[in-house]
Amino acid sequence: MKLGVWFYGLGTVLTGILDIAWGDFDASHQPIQSLGKNFPGQHLLAYAAGVWLVAAGLAILWRRSAKMGAAASGIAYLVFVALWLPRYYAAIHTLGWRIDVLLGVSFGLGQQLMLIAPAAIVYVCIASTDSLLQARAAIAARWMLGLPPILFGLLHLAGIRVFATIVPHWMSFGYFWAGLTGIAFFLAGCAICSGIRDVLAARLLALMLLLFEGFVEIPPIFIRLHDLRTWGAAVYNVAAIGACWIFAEFLTSRADRGRIGPAENVAMSRPEQVVA
């Protein structure tokens, strides 16, 4: 899982750097505004959250501190998930009960929920060799990582007109690409949740996000250099790529251990005895 951990850790570090550099939260991913427009000490909280994320992202990259880094990362993203919950009430109160409103808020919540899954996987893998505990972690991670793409896909299809405008101008047929992306998200999420071709789905999802990073997320930075949301979208994508890759490699390693067999697993997990 090293490659995925590096992507995930780098994305977490860069998220913290953005919070520190702007002295503010990225509203599209960290909606502190849900607690109030003029929340007291918001800038101080942004600096504190930035330092926390930078420390967590760096810690998860090294074996000795990876357990602590995974826990710290998971806590941070869990807080961001909680910040999205008041948005349901505010959005429905303002715009009414509409499917696009519910999907829009769920989209933001799902983005952060997706980043808790790799933190849980890394923590459990380091903290315990108990196969039952790792199996439970796999189930939890499966749903945390699988449900968000389903929501992303539904929102893409419901708001296809908006997402078509995000497609780069040099790519023709914006509606086609927006629709295809929505279907790909939806199918990937269904595969991950169902466990059918889940490893392949997670890897293809990581590849699609990587393509998004190069074609959709990075180019606008050069046009809107001082826009926190533009930077935030690109940085989030890096962490999400890592999340998908960690999940895929975690499932692959569990499948490999299952093929080896329990007796050989025990033998491999124990150091060789030194004969006196």
Side-chain angles (χ1 to χ4, degrees), residues 97-128:
W97 285 92
R98 288 165 38 191
I99 187 64
D100 57 333
V101 173
L102 294 175
L103 286 175
V105 179
S106 299
F107 180 89
L109 186 148
Q111 284 184 314
Q112 301 306 307
L113 181 65
M114 190 174 177
L115 299 186
I116 300 175
I121 290 173
V122 173
Y123 182 88
V124 169
C125 286
I126 296 174
S128 175

Side-chain angles (χ1 to χ4, degrees), residues 14-259:
L14 292 176
T15 302
I17 291 175
L18 292 183
D19 289 344
I20 296 171
W22 264 265
D24 200 0
F25 292 93
D26 174 14
S28 59
H29 295 94
Q30 308 161 342
I32 191 70
Q33 295 82 2
S34 63
L35 302 178
K37 290 184 178 180
N38 298 312
F39 190 76
Q42 182 171 318
H43 293 297
L44 294 177
L45 282 176
Y47 292 132
V51 172
W52 179 286
L53 288 166
V54 170
L58 291 175
I60 204 172
L61 298 179
W62 281 273
R63 177 75 182 183
R64 292 183 179 180
S65 58
K67 178 181 174 181
M68 185 181 299
S73 299
I75 291 171
Y77 291 122
L78 182 61
V79 171
F80 297 147
V81 167
L83 289 176
W84 278 100
L85 297 178
R87 283 290 178 94
Y88 281 102
Y89 172 78
I92 293 172
H93 180 73
T94 304
L95 302 173
W97 285 92
R98 288 165 38 191
I99 187 64
D100 57 333
V101 173
L102 294 175
L103 286 175
V105 179
S106 299
F107 180 89
L109 186 148
Q111 284 184 314
Q112 301 306 307
L113 181 65
M114 190 174 177
L115 299 186
I116 300 175
I121 290 173
V122 173
Y123 182 88
V124 169
C125 286
I126 296 174
S128 175
T129 57
D130 185 357
S131 59
L132 179 60
L133 181 61
Q134 291 193 9
R136 291 175 177 174
I139 294 173
R142 179 182 302 282
W143 288 99
M144 286 189 289
L145 195 77
L147 284 177
I150 294 177
L151 296 173
F152 301 165
L154 292 175
L155 183 62
H156 271 72
L157 297 175
I160 190 170
R161 180 177 301 178
V162 175
F163 286 97
T165 63
I166 303 175
V167 177
H169 296 299
W170 55 269
M171 295 178 65
S172 303
F173 311 108
Y175 280 88
F176 168 77
W177 292 112
L180 181 63
T181 299
I183 294 172
F185 268 128
F186 183 80
L187 293 178
C190 290
I192 292 172
C193 288
S194 66
I196 301 173
R197 299 292 183 181
D198 46 3
V199 174
L200 177 61
R203 288 174 175 169
L204 290 177
L205 183 58
L207 176 60
M208 185 170 70
L209 293 175
L210 184 61
L211 293 174
F212 284 176
E213 186 73 3
F215 295 141
V216 179
E217 305 296 355
I218 292 181
I221 290 177
F222 299 100
I223 303 173
R224 299 186 290 273
L225 192 60
H226 301 288
D227 184 15
L228 176 57
R229 293 192 179 193
T230 303
W231 281 93
V235 166
Y236 169 82
N237 226 34
V238 174
I241 292 168
C244 296
W245 197 258
I246 288 172
F247 179 75
E249 295 311 306
F250 175 64
L251 292 184
T252 301
S253 66
R254 282 179 53 79
D256 289 342
R257 287 198 298 271
R259 284 193 292 269

